């Protein structure tokens, strides 16, 4: 297949994937899978009136959604979906994932601050604490995968999993990356910044119309992107018998995304002090141990 | 001759300077913290333009976290973080302007009149750079990196010791 | 040659702005931002030298990493001092910390 | 309307997002099955396009609902079920009579209205005038920046002002002329650190330099938080329609960052003056009391019937018959399930919420399946991380290790409403925000609710440590540690001057009744009420907090290990060999466990009673038309022990006096949420299961 056709199919699949994630999110909230639901709420958000709160910070109010969506689209460009099909094969691909995710936090902070409301404010600080905390294990665990592949190219990382997938090679790393991915996308067990029950929507409490739509869409793409990252780094990317590469990638991504939302549905929200305590006291040391363990296994 | 690299360099340089200038011009403190973040990202982009890819990505990543924390501290310790009262928070203005301008002129003078020798056009590929940088760190300047690590440790312990209110914990 | 010169001039201007900020602001946190800007300018210089003069000498890149750690450390210790000042005297304004002169 | 807008209207109208006022738990009592599919209940007024007002409510609550309505983005629909018109709210677009399952009839009407009316050009922005003057007030105090909170609503106080020429196709209109944003909100800039604009302080030490403002002067009067940093606290109102709290309950908190420095439940938002308009004919009392607490109607009806039977038969305390006990237990199950749904929202577990709602509806219309419910309860108990998450709100009433059973156990504590119910009505805010103090000389104090709800606390003589919340301007209550109990509580200069009889406080509270001087309740001119002017009190036994627990009845007390359950004194339960469920954890988790075990216990009780349930023997009740008499009755409602006392004067109801557990529970809010993280504080308050309707009916 010509690279163009390949690329076109992948982008179609990606957009479809985002819609599937939207349906999954609605399932985790309401318990029943209704396919037209997300589309309808998409119109509703479009039809809504734009509301600006009092004394909002004009600069941040406008830039935050665009920064949020832009950063996530950047992350997609470096993820390899198939053997040859990656938009930008960045020399420091692994590091770039985390570099982009930090700006998810910055945009949440911006929107939390710009809206000039206490709920959004508290949501913003929670997002800051949570995303700083959980991007530390992500960086360390990424170095472990880079160590195995001896290169930062994501394509090399996938190639290095030819013999044994990273999920079996470094299970501790996989578990940490999985939990951190949940925390970075603030999905239900970690949805402190946008807590429905406590902060009535937290950081997004005050957004309406197109801005809210951008954030909603951005978060769905973020969930899909991180699922693809989990697949690429730990579940052997496009490797699989019979089917072409990118079909495997999307299949595994679908499984990972469903597990994200399943955890969210059946667990209560984590407490703020536990959130930070588990990360700083157990997450980061475990990540360091993981690097140590992978080093030893490599040298054996 | 005008190469793309020069154009990009100038663009990102101007962006960095404009954000840097706004840091001290805005009355809203959080906006100044995040415009410092903007200038740091522009500096990261400068690194990327100059093909130091690892450093560029690292700079962009690190500065994101650091400047957000700075924004938190700005809010805690500034009198009016929202900048709605537009107070003027500076003093001895003209002295500092004079110092800034003098230093800039001095450096540009040195830059223009120094003889830099031949400019190298070829640079190893990013992959190669990472490997060489790794080798460099683990071979020749292992010592420097160790001390950097230890200084970070002492810095952490020192800042915690300073920040905690030991006195009040004894009272309770 | 122009590439190196433009990069160095940009760094010089950034350094000048940083110096202005560090000297003109009354608040400790703002002064720290000035210093961070100056360090950023220094890093641009280093990378420019590495790229255009000695691309094979990676000790420059390593030095940039050390400069980054200095930046982070300076921020951390500066905030610790600011917290302590704020707790004892309720203000981080430089004007009001005359008693620290000692 | 052009084609695109009509198509957009159709699409939007299929997706109904309903924001229920005063709360989803009240709405559930009027539903027979959960509305899955046709419409969604949202927790955030920004997402909603339907504002559903359920049942009658006080003027203050309607004011809050008006703020929420103004906050909803257009296109929106205002639906009222029950009342024709509530003062600050505009005329409802859709009106429905309030009866069970009114939603099934209302939804198509709402959908039809939304799809072709709400997009008309004349759908103009609407702003309640209470908010308009708040803007002016905030406007001219431009310098005065710090938060004068108090009246924002469930969600932060933001209003949508004129929206700029947003080009979304739906409706292009420049309403109320001015293009720029006239947003109006109660908050200044919401940030809560050092938000003081120096204008607010005026007296800042301008010692050096004109423009320079010394920071020391600004931060010297700020309250020091736990870590010693003088940070500014922000007043936040977790208002009456907060998704995580019971509908109608309004918490006003002082937030230091996101730890709660001080939290209080507003006591007078839900008052509907019900007890003011008491029916003369005593026989109408049962139906009447059902309206008092929509969350537990059956319990209150049984209570009224028991009181009437007591009054007429004079044969002492008439026990519950078996069918009545079965009805009571069924109500307990549905009430606990309703509470579990609210708790699940604050916990953030959607599965638990959906299951709780499903079982609630099933058991409400008696089609519940016992094995499924006990299976659900088992899974809730085994939910991962739930025990850790709920081990919160314990230290608040934690140190009850030596909660001397003696003191708490025997005293029949009814203290909430010494002053008769009527006086409630006259001082709880007919005048809306402006709380006219009960006119006995207490100088009028401005509109925040402290003044009148302070008097509720006052009447809790038992709670010495409540008193320090009083910030009545008129009498200086020394802020006293719990140990030192002498607080010279300057007696209220009663206008009428008749000194209320002293009655000693909580300890051996033998509730020698205060003397009431009241004209008949018909022309309830001001009724003096004794609100327990404090006097010297003997040393409290043990830390003040277990007094606190002494007044609490119901699951919260049983979760703290105190076996207080009125059902112990009911013959029906003794025959069935029933024993109260208790736990000793005294935190949110043990409260959850007690309530879940109670559900299972009630299920067993109903099953056992199911096979030998006699006929509904209604004892004959005759009301002598001459002479006077008092009727009294107690019943164990799902939230605790409720006491009804009424006085009949020549065949007509003289006054009704109701002591319900929620007032004491509301008193618990402050100690429980002290220095807690925001989310834990909200979980703690929800775990108390306070029914705001009971606080001041």
């Amino acid at each position: 297949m010509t690279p163009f056709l390949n690329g076109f199919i992948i982008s179609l699949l990606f957009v479809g994937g985002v819609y599937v994630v939207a349906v999954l999110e609605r399932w985790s909230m309401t318990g029943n899978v209704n396919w037209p639901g997300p589309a309808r709420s998409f119109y509703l958000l479009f039809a809504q009136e734009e509301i600006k709160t009092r004394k909002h910070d004009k600069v941040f109010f406008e830039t935050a959604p665009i920064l949020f969506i832009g950063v996530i689209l950047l992350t997609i460009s470096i993820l390899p979906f198939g053997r040859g099909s990656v938009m930008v094969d960045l020399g420091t691909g692994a590091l770039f994932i985390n570099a982009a995710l930090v700006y998810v936090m910055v945009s949440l902070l911006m929107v939390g601050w710009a809206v000039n409301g206490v709920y959004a404010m508290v949501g913003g600080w929670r997002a800051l604490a949570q995303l700083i905390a959980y991007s530390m294990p992500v960086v360390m665990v990424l170095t472990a995968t880079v160590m195995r592949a001896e290169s930062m190219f994501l394509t090399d990382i996938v190639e290095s999993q030819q013999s044994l997938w990273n999920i079996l090679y470094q299970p501790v790393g996989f578990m940490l990356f999985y939990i951190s991915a949940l925390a970075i996308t603030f999905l239900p067990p970690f949805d402190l910044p946008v807590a429905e029950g406590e902060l009535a929507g937290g950081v997004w409490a005050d957004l309406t119309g197109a801005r809210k739509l951008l954030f909603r869409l951005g978060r769905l793409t973020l969930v899909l992107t991180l699922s693809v990252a989990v697949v690429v780094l730990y579940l052997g990317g496009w490797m699989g018998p019979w089917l072409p590469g990118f079909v495997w990638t999307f299949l595994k991504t679908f499984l990972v995304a469903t597990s994200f939302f399943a955890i969210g549905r059946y667990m209560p929200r984590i407490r703020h002090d536990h959130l930070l305590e588990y990360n700083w006291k157990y997450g980061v040391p475990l990540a360091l141990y993981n690097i140590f363990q992978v080093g030893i296994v490599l040298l054996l | 001759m005008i190469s793309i690299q020069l154009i990009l360099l100038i663009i990102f340089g101007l962006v960095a300077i404009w954000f840097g200038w706004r840091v001290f011009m805005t009355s809203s403190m959080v906006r100044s913290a995040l415009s410092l973040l903007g200038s740091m990202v522009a500096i990261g982009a400068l690194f990327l333009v100059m093909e130091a890819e690892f450093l560029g990505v690292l700079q962009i990543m690190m500065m994101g976290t650091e400047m957000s924390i700075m924004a938190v501290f700005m809010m805690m310790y500034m009198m009016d973080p929202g900048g709605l009262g537009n107070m003027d928070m500076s003093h001895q203005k003209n002295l500092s302007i004079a110092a800034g301008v003098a230093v800039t002129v001095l450096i540009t003078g040195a830059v223009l009149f120094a003889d830099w020798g031949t400019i190298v056009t070829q640079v190893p590929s990013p992959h190669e750079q990472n490997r060489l940088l790794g080798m460099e760190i683990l071979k020749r300047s292992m010592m420097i990196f160790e001390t950097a690590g230890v200084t970070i440790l002492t810095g952490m312990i020192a800042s915690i010791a300073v920040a905690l209110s030991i006195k009040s914990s004894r009272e309770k | 040659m122009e590439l190196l010169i433009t990069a160095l001039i940009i760094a010089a201007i950034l350094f000048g702005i940083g110096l202005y900020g560090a000297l003109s602001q009354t608040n400790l946190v703002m002064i720290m931002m000035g210093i961070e800007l100056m360090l950023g300018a220094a890093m641009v210089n280093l990378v420019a030298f590495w790229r255009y003069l000695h691309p094979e000498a990676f000790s420059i890149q390593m030095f940039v990493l050390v400069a980054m750690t200095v930046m982070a450390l300076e921020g951390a210790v500066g905030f610790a001092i600011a917290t302590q000042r704020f707790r004892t005297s309720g203000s981080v304004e430089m004007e009001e910390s005359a008693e620290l002169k000692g | 309307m052009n084609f695109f807008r009509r198509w957009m209207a159709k699409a939007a109208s299929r997706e109904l997002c309903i924001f229920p006022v005063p709360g989803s738990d009240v709405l559930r009592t009027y539903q027979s099955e959960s509305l899955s599919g046709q419409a969604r209940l949202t927790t955030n007024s920004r997402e909603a396009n339907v504002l559903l007002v359920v049942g009658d409510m006080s003027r203050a609550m309607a004011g809050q609902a008006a703020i929420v309505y103004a906050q909803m983005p257009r296109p929106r629909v205002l639906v009222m079920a029950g009342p024709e018109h509530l003062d600050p709210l505009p005329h409802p677009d859709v009106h429905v009579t309030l009866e069970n399952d009114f939603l099934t009839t209302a939804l198509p009407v709402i959908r039809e209205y939304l799809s072709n009316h709400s997009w008309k050009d004349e759908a103009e922005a609407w702003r309640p005038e209470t908010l308009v003057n708040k803007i002016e007030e905030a406007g001219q105090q431009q310098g005065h920046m710090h938060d004068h909170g108090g009246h924002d609503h469930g969600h932060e106080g933001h209003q949508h002002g004129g929206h700029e020429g947003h080009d979304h196709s739906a409706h292009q209109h420049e309403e109320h002329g001015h293009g720029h944003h006239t947003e109006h909100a109660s908050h200044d800039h919401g940030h809560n650190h050092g938000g003081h604009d120096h204008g607010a302080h005026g007296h800042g030490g301008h010692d050096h330099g004109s423009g320079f403002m010394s920071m020391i002067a600004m931060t010297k009067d700020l309250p020091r938080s736990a870590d010693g940093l003088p940070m500014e606290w922000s007043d936040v109102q977790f208002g009456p329609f907060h998704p995580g709290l019971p509908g109608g309950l309004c918490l006003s908190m002082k937030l230091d960052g996101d730890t709660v420095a001080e939290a209080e439940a507003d006591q007078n938002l839900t008052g509907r003056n019900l007890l003011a308009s008491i029916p003369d004919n005593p026989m109408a009392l049962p139906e009447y009391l059902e309206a008092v607490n929509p969350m537990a109607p059956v319990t209150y009806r049984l209570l009224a019937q028991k009181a009437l039977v007591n009054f007429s038969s004079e044969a002492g305390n008439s026990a519950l018959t078996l069918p009545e006990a079965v009805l009571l237990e069924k109500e307990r199950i549905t009430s606990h399930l309703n509470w579990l749904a609210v708790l699940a929202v604050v916990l953030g577990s959607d599965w638990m919420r959906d299951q709780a709602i499903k079982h609630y509806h099933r058991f409400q219309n008696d089609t519940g399946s016992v094995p499924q419910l006990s299976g659900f309860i088992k899974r809730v108990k085994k939910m991962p991380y739930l025990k850790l998450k709920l081990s919160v709100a314990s230290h608040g009433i934690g140190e009850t290790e030596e909660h001397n059973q003696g003191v708490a156990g025997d005293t029949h504590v009814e203290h909430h409403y010494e002053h008769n119910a009527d006086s409630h009505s006259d001082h709880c805010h007919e005048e809306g925000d402006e709380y006219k103090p009960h006119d006995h000389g207490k100088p009028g104090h401005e509109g925040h609710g402290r003044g009148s709800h302070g008097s509720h606390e006052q009447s809790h003589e038992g709670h010495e440590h409540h008193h320090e919340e009083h910030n009545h301007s008129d009498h200086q209550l020394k802020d006293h540690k719990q140990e030192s109990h002498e607080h010279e509580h300057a007696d209220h200069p009663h206008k009428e001057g008749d000194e209320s009889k002293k009655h000693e406080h909580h300890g051996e509270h033998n509730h020698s009744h205060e003397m009431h001087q009241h004209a008949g309740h018909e022309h309830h001119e001001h009724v003096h009420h004794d609100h327990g002017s404090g006097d010297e009190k003997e040393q409290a036994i043990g830390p003040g907090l277990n007094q606190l627990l002494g007044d609490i009845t119901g699951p919260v007390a049983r979760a703290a290990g105190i076996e207080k359950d009125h059902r112990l004194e009911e013959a029906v339960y003794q025959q069935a060999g029933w024993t109260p469920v208790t736990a000793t954890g005294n935190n949110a988790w043990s409260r959850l466990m007690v309530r879940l075990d109670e559900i299972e216990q009630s299920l067993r009780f109903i099953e056992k009673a199911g096979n030998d349930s006699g006929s509904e023997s209604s004892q004959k009740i005759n009301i002598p038309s001459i002479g006077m008499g008092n009727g009294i009755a107690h019943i164990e409602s799902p939230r605790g022990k409720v006491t009804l006392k009424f006085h009949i004067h020549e065949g007509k109801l003289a006054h009704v006096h109701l002591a319900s557990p929620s007032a004491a529970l509301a008193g618990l809010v402050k100690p429980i949420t002290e220095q807690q993280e925001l989310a834990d504080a909200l979980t703690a308050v929800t775990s108390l299961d306070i029914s705001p309707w009971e606080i001041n009916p």
Side-chain angles (χ1 to χ4, degrees), chain D residues 214-237:
Chain D
S214 99
M215 198 169 175
I216 299 181
M218 272 186 39
T219 52
K220 80 171 141 14
D221 56 2
L222 288 183
R224 290 211 168 238
S225 48
D227 56 10
L229 292 173
M231 287 294 158
E232 189 212 337
W233 292 348
S234 63
D235 292 326
V236 185
Q237 190 181 16

Side-chain angles (χ1 to χ4, degrees), chain B residues 17 24 35 51 69 76 93 103 107 129 148-149 154 159:
Chain B
I17 290 165
F24 300 108
S35 45
E51 282 132 318
I69 294 179
M76 275 166 71
K93 252 226 171 33
V103 161
I107 297 173
Q129 273 179 32
T154 44
S159 52

